[in-house]
Amino acid sequence: MKKISYLVVLPMLLATPALASYSDDQFRAEILEGLDLVSARANVDVPDPAPGELGLDVYQTADAGYNSDIQLFIPTKMYMRAGGGLNLPFATDKAKLGDKEYSSAGSWTTQIGLGWNLSSYVRTEIDFQESTFNFSDIDDAQANYQTIGGMLYFDFARRYIQTGDITYRRRFVPFMGLGAAAGMYKFDGAGGADGFVIAAPRATLGFNVMLNDLIGIDIMYQYQMMIGNGFGWNVRAGGVDNISNIMASFRVNF
């Protein structure tokens, strides 16, 4: 009986190393095949297919959708302004010369400014304005203002809206502004009321239209209450006069 057992067990023991050798080689071959497959997939831009929204989040193609029509806007910190406007005679006090009054006619204003975007709703700005006034029925008289002012603007709609990692730019944004200015003014001609002037308050109401990501146009109404030597010739000191303009300017963000 023992001889029979030896004959059965001995072949099994002899075959064990061969089986182990075969399993080890197969395992190594499978590992190498898997590494080659991973390497091959890493060099291909097209990802493995994955259905549903989860697949869209996990897997990403080469362009990642950036060639679509999504308008991407990067919020800016500062901007510059340059433009001008026309005076509104019906909303501007008349200049005085003795007992007579003369309406403004063909008058205009130029403006340059530098602004800071404090948030998506609030921005502040300093600007320089030069205004030239002509008057009806007076050909040889003219008035000139040169002022430096500061404004705080409030936008009635967010300039940019963030949705996840995408920031959208709004094309049309209405706004209002409030501030003050100071400077010098000069009325040409005999008895011109030259001197220091304060524009307080200075108020604006208008809207911005963006032409592209960085350049837009501002259209606004501007009101200034001028405190100075009076609006005209041979007028008393300490006069208060109202001046209104329609302004248009380019706003360049950077």
Side-chain angles (χ1 to χ4, degrees), residues 75-126:
T76 57
K77 295 296 184 181
M78 300 180 66
Y79 64 87
M80 295 183 63
R81 176 193 305 283
L86 296 176
N87 177 254
L88 299 176
F90 63 88
T92 298
D93 287 350
K94 296 181 179 180
K96 301 176 180 64
L97 178 57
D99 296 333
K100 295 183 179 181
E101 295 181 339
Y102 299 92
S103 299
S104 62
S107 305
W108 68 91
T109 298
T110 57
Q111 176 191 34
I112 58 173
L114 180 65
W116 292 262
N117 293 315
L118 304 180
S119 73
S120 184
Y121 287 104
V122 182
R123 51 194 169 87
T124 186
E125 181 179 324
I126 57 174

Side-chain angles (χ1 to χ4, degrees), residues 36-101:
D36 291 340
L37 182 60
V38 171
S39 177
R41 288 180 178 177
N43 295 324
V44 177
D45 291 334
V46 180
D48 292 338
E53 293 297 329
L54 179 60
L56 294 178
D57 292 337
V58 175
Y59 294 92
Q60 183 174 315
T61 58
D63 64 356
Y66 296 125
N67 292 332
S68 63
D69 294 331
I70 294 177
Q71 292 181 338
L72 179 64
F73 173 65
I74 301 175
T76 57
K77 295 296 184 181
M78 300 180 66
Y79 64 87
M80 295 183 63
R81 176 193 305 283
L86 296 176
N87 177 254
L88 299 176
F90 63 88
T92 298
D93 287 350
K94 296 181 179 180
K96 301 176 180 64
L97 178 57
D99 296 333
K100 295 183 179 181
E101 295 181 339

Side-chain angles (χ1 to χ4, degrees), residues 170-242:
R170 195 183 297 273
R171 291 183 180 274
F172 178 86
V173 178
F175 63 85
M176 66 172 293
L178 187 64
M184 301 296 294
Y185 73 136
K186 176 177 174 54
F187 279 77
D188 296 333
D194 302 340
F196 181 74
V197 65
I198 296 175
R202 173 189 284 176
T204 63
L205 182 64
F207 60 88
N208 168 257
V209 177
M210 292 300 296
L211 303 179
N212 55 40
D213 286 344
L214 298 178
I215 302 176
I217 296 178
D218 285 349
I219 305 295
M220 64 184 181
Y221 163 77
Q222 175 180 268
Y223 165 80
Q224 299 181 95
M225 186 174 75
M226 294 292 188
I227 303 172
N229 293 336
F231 194 66
W233 298 264
N234 297 322
V235 294
R236 64 179 180 83
V240 175
D241 299 281
N242 303 293

Side-chain angles (χ1 to χ4, degrees), residues 10 13 33 35 40 150 186 216:
L10 184 58
L13 293 175
E33 180 183 2
L35 291 176
K186 176 177 174 54

